[in-house]
Amino acid sequence: MARFCACLAPTSDRARGHLLAMGASFAAETAPAPAGFGLIAAEPGRAAGPFEAYGRRAVGEVTLHNRSALRAALRRHGDPAPAECADGELLLRCWALLGEAGVALAEGMFVLAVADGPDLVLVRDHVGSRTMFYARAGDAWAASTSLRALRRWPALGASLNLAAVRSFLTFAYLPGEETLLTGVREMLPGRILRLTPDGTAVPSVFWEPRERLEQPAPDSPDGHVRTLRALLETATAERLPAAEPAAVLLSGGVDSSLVTALAAKLHHHPVHTYSISFGDGLPNELGYSGLVAAHCHTRHRVLNVSGATVAARLAEAAALLDSPVGDPLTVPNLILAETVAADGASVVLNGEGGDPVFGGPKNLPMLVQEMHRSPGAPWDEDRATAYVRAYRKCWTDLPELLSPQALRSLEDAPLPQRLVAPYLVEGPESPYRMGALLNQLLHCNLRTKGAHHILTKVERLTSSQGVEGRSPLFDRRVVDHAFATPPEFKLRGTAEKWVLKEAVRDLLPGTVVDRPKSGMRVPVQQWLTGPLRELGNDLLLGRGARRRGLFRQDTVRTWMKGGGTLLPRQGGKLWLVLTLELWLDSYDL
């Protein structure tokens, strides 16, 4: 289990020196070349290589779900790729022989770094299931699946990126390319990036969701429902482990329930399901998850996660992430991954993706805003500003939360709205050509929260336990079908994700399919005033926070006492500050 680094420098010796400085070791000697590769054995990941094909070398973290289709495509072009070749080598062959089209054919979770002639080529999968970062220092490029490796790179000398702090407090994650390290960028999903010796970075897009709606719109949704069902079955079947029980994280919501039902129908081994409880007397979805487990005949476990456990392990969970995620489920997710691994599973499925792909309730404020919008009125807000406000994180509190020196430093920094604005442009001027507002919102959700929050959190936390987390609802073919489905079949009256629910209605009890979405009720406020109180005081009012000087101490004290406008659930504003400070401590920033 490892992460990887790649470096492009004027000589192979200098590239090797940079890699060693980043903490990499070398699995095998390779022929001298400007681009070098190394593995970081101390960090959990799926890195393997180097692979060689057609005069190119590569290292990557690659899991392919459609190997047979890729091998068939290679055979048609005269390459009889051996059946036993590793996934990374198979993807390298597709790139070397077929170029961008070959990468676009792949379905899976992958990042790949390729020494391609004098250049270093980086590849990230369609939806962002795996993550890669890159930076330029002096006359060298470096890329890695570990942000910590780039933090260690002496030539870069990265410091804290204050604009990214503001973005995190606005969204509770970092959308787009920016990271909390100056000079380090995250590669966007669905992209190929060619890094050249002269310092040029040339991006290209091999896949982006497109709105492909039938004209005229069909009168009946039946065709879309049937097609979606077939795609869901394929996506789930391809992600099931080959010869072991299947594990599924089952919250009780419709998305994880349908994945459970499909796994139970399609798998030839037992299905194990796992749910979380935060204690008696607290709102939960255990009644729904228990109903689904009984209906699908799974072997079900409920894991009890106390506030004391969260307090004890929050720093550990934050340090596992390459970018902070202001999600109070990080520790519970880590404990779930530990339990799955202890039960002997190597793969765990989840229901992530239903909301950003098919339309959950968090889009409703934007839709309502558009209905009542009066362009040009004094109270009117552009779509990007309304989208940021709808997150209800710390954006409106920044003038009272950030210190005066931090606010001064940000006066000329680009605004967070820029990270979502391109997805919300109306009409033919839109760079992504989404006509329907619902599709614009879903596209924005997919490319921001999907890639930079949901999928990266799943991958980092499951990998830390040697388990691979897989998300059938983020399958590229499922996503393509969602954007070919008329918006009125996704939001039908007041029914959200309607076409998704109809596609699996025969598999689940009606009380599960038609239930309103509630989300997992996390007792954040109880934790902050109970077992996390001491940690919060020590961390947020301690020496490290004062040294960084990001936040006004009087505002933090007020929030710690329960004053201010804290959200009652789903991570409150104080949780974001606490999460950020823990992450910064772990990275020594």
Side-chain angles (χ1 to χ4, degrees), residues 219-231:
D219 295 327
S220 170
D222 292 349
H224 286 278
V225 171
R226 287 193 299 270
T227 301
L228 178 56
R229 172 59 173 272
L231 290 172

PDB file of all heavy atoms in Angstrom, residues 219-231:
ATOM      1  N   ASP A 219     -42.970  11.710 -24.015  1.00  0.00           N
ATOM      2  CA  ASP A 219     -44.151  11.826 -23.154  1.00  0.00           C
ATOM      3  C   ASP A 219     -44.057  10.887 -21.957  1.00  0.00           C
ATOM      4  O   ASP A 219     -44.567  11.185 -20.881  1.00  0.00           O
ATOM      5  CB  ASP A 219     -45.428  11.508 -23.947  1.00  0.00           C
ATOM      6  CG  ASP A 219     -45.681  12.528 -25.053  1.00  0.00           C
ATOM      7  OD1 ASP A 219     -45.339  13.712 -24.850  1.00  0.00           O
ATOM      8  OD2 ASP A 219     -46.214  12.125 -26.109  1.00  0.00           O
ATOM      9  N   SER A 220     -43.421   9.743 -22.153  1.00  0.00           N
ATOM     10  CA  SER A 220     -43.346   8.742 -21.100  1.00  0.00           C
ATOM     11  C   SER A 220     -41.917   8.615 -20.591  1.00  0.00           C
ATOM     12  O   SER A 220     -40.963   8.620 -21.375  1.00  0.00           O
ATOM     13  CB  SER A 220     -43.823   7.386 -21.611  1.00  0.00           C
ATOM     14  OG  SER A 220     -43.545   6.366 -20.676  1.00  0.00           O
ATOM     15  N   PRO A 221     -41.754   8.460 -19.275  1.00  0.00           N
ATOM     16  CA  PRO A 221     -40.403   8.268 -18.728  1.00  0.00           C
ATOM     17  C   PRO A 221     -39.943   6.815 -18.762  1.00  0.00           C
ATOM     18  O   PRO A 221     -38.823   6.528 -18.330  1.00  0.00           O
ATOM     19  CB  PRO A 221     -40.574   8.726 -17.273  1.00  0.00           C
ATOM     20  CG  PRO A 221     -41.986   8.365 -16.949  1.00  0.00           C
ATOM     21  CD  PRO A 221     -42.773   8.565 -18.218  1.00  0.00           C
ATOM     22  N   ASP A 222     -40.746   5.898 -19.260  1.00  0.00           N
ATOM     23  CA  ASP A 222     -40.447   4.475 -19.126  1.00  0.00           C
ATOM     24  C   ASP A 222     -39.093   4.098 -19.718  1.00  0.00           C
ATOM     25  O   ASP A 222     -38.352   3.291 -19.142  1.00  0.00           O
ATOM     26  CB  ASP A 222     -41.551   3.636 -19.779  1.00  0.00           C
ATOM     27  CG  ASP A 222     -42.869   3.733 -19.023  1.00  0.00           C
ATOM     28  OD1 ASP A 222     -42.865   4.270 -17.894  1.00  0.00           O
ATOM     29  OD2 ASP A 222     -43.910   3.295 -19.560  1.00  0.00           O
ATOM     30  N   GLY A 223     -38.773   4.653 -20.882  1.00  0.00           N
ATOM     31  CA  GLY A 223     -37.501   4.316 -21.516  1.00  0.00           C
ATOM     32  C   GLY A 223     -36.318   4.742 -20.666  1.00  0.00           C
ATOM     33  O   GLY A 223     -35.334   3.999 -20.520  1.00  0.00           O
ATOM     34  N   HIS A 224     -36.398   5.927 -20.077  1.00  0.00           N
ATOM     35  CA  HIS A 224     -35.309   6.401 -19.219  1.00  0.00           C
ATOM     36  C   HIS A 224     -35.203   5.558 -17.958  1.00  0.00           C
ATOM     37  O   HIS A 224     -34.097   5.280 -17.474  1.00  0.00           O
ATOM     38  CB  HIS A 224     -35.541   7.871 -18.864  1.00  0.00           C
ATOM     39  CG  HIS A 224     -35.259   8.807 -19.989  1.00  0.00           C
ATOM     40  ND1 HIS A 224     -33.992   9.231 -20.303  1.00  0.00           N
ATOM     41  CD2 HIS A 224     -36.088   9.385 -20.898  1.00  0.00           C
ATOM     42  CE1 HIS A 224     -34.043  10.050 -21.340  1.00  0.00           C
ATOM     43  NE2 HIS A 224     -35.296  10.159 -21.726  1.00  0.00           N
ATOM     44  N   VAL A 225     -36.334   5.133 -17.424  1.00  0.00           N
ATOM     45  CA  VAL A 225     -36.317   4.308 -16.210  1.00  0.00           C
ATOM     46  C   VAL A 225     -35.663   2.963 -16.501  1.00  0.00           C
ATOM     47  O   VAL A 225     -34.807   2.495 -15.749  1.00  0.00           O
ATOM     48  CB  VAL A 225     -37.750   4.127 -15.672  1.00  0.00           C
ATOM     49  CG1 VAL A 225     -37.773   3.085 -14.554  1.00  0.00           C
ATOM     50  CG2 VAL A 225     -38.302   5.462 -15.172  1.00  0.00           C
ATOM     51  N   ARG A 226     -36.059   2.324 -17.609  1.00  0.00           N
ATOM     52  CA  ARG A 226     -35.504   1.004 -17.950  1.00  0.00           C
ATOM     53  C   ARG A 226     -34.001   1.095 -18.216  1.00  0.00           C
ATOM     54  O   ARG A 226     -33.219   0.241 -17.774  1.00  0.00           O
ATOM     55  CB  ARG A 226     -36.237   0.420 -19.158  1.00  0.00           C
ATOM     56  CG  ARG A 226     -37.644  -0.060 -18.867  1.00  0.00           C
ATOM     57  CD  ARG A 226     -38.162  -0.899 -20.031  1.00  0.00           C
ATOM     58  NE  ARG A 226     -38.214  -0.137 -21.275  1.00  0.00           N
ATOM     59  CZ  ARG A 226     -39.267   0.567 -21.689  1.00  0.00           C
ATOM     60  NH1 ARG A 226     -40.363   0.592 -20.938  1.00  0.00           N
ATOM     61  NH2 ARG A 226     -39.236   1.225 -22.825  1.00  0.00           N
ATOM     62  N   THR A 227     -33.594   2.106 -18.966  1.00  0.00           N
ATOM     63  CA  THR A 227     -32.167   2.256 -19.272  1.00  0.00           C
ATOM     64  C   THR A 227     -31.364   2.493 -18.004  1.00  0.00           C
ATOM     65  O   THR A 227     -30.284   1.913 -17.817  1.00  0.00           O
ATOM     66  CB  THR A 227     -31.952   3.414 -20.266  1.00  0.00           C
ATOM     67  OG1 THR A 227     -32.679   3.142 -21.469  1.00  0.00           O
ATOM     68  CG2 THR A 227     -30.478   3.584 -20.593  1.00  0.00           C
ATOM     69  N   LEU A 228     -31.884   3.332 -17.123  1.00  0.00           N
ATOM     70  CA  LEU A 228     -31.173   3.602 -15.882  1.00  0.00           C
ATOM     71  C   LEU A 228     -31.041   2.338 -15.049  1.00  0.00           C
ATOM     72  O   LEU A 228     -29.977   2.074 -14.491  1.00  0.00           O
ATOM     73  CB  LEU A 228     -31.894   4.693 -15.090  1.00  0.00           C
ATOM     74  CG  LEU A 228     -31.283   5.037 -13.728  1.00  0.00           C
ATOM     75  CD1 LEU A 228     -29.813   5.444 -13.865  1.00  0.00           C
ATOM     76  CD2 LEU A 228     -32.079   6.145 -13.048  1.00  0.00           C
ATOM     77  N   ARG A 229     -32.093   1.537 -14.988  1.00  0.00           N
ATOM     78  CA  ARG A 229     -32.009   0.301 -14.205  1.00  0.00           C
ATOM     79  C   ARG A 229     -30.889  -0.604 -14.738  1.00  0.00           C
ATOM     80  O   ARG A 229     -30.104  -1.170 -13.969  1.00  0.00           O
ATOM     81  CB  ARG A 229     -33.344  -0.425 -14.244  1.00  0.00           C
ATOM     82  CG  ARG A 229     -33.350  -1.816 -13.633  1.00  0.00           C
ATOM     83  CD  ARG A 229     -32.916  -1.805 -12.142  1.00  0.00           C
ATOM     84  NE  ARG A 229     -33.111  -3.129 -11.566  1.00  0.00           N
ATOM     85  CZ  ARG A 229     -34.237  -3.534 -11.012  1.00  0.00           C
ATOM     86  NH1 ARG A 229     -35.287  -2.713 -10.921  1.00  0.00           N
ATOM     87  NH2 ARG A 229     -34.325  -4.746 -10.524  1.00  0.00           N
ATOM     88  N   ALA A 230     -30.819  -0.752 -16.052  1.00  0.00           N
ATOM     89  CA  ALA A 230     -29.774  -1.595 -16.639  1.00  0.00           C
ATOM     90  C   ALA A 230     -28.388  -1.036 -16.330  1.00  0.00           C
ATOM     91  O   ALA A 230     -27.452  -1.792 -16.005  1.00  0.00           O
ATOM     92  CB  ALA A 230     -29.979  -1.703 -18.146  1.00  0.00           C
ATOM     93  N   LEU A 231     -28.231   0.286 -16.395  1.00  0.00           N
ATOM     94  CA  LEU A 231     -26.935   0.890 -16.101  1.00  0.00           C
ATOM     95  C   LEU A 231     -26.557   0.724 -14.630  1.00  0.00           C
ATOM     96  O   LEU A 231     -25.391   0.477 -14.296  1.00  0.00           O
ATOM     97  CB  LEU A 231     -26.964   2.373 -16.464  1.00  0.00           C
ATOM     98  CG  LEU A 231     -27.019   2.700 -17.957  1.00  0.00           C
ATOM     99  CD1 LEU A 231     -27.252   4.188 -18.172  1.00  0.00           C
ATOM    100  CD2 LEU A 231     -25.740   2.262 -18.663  1.00  0.00           C
TER     101      LEU A 231
END
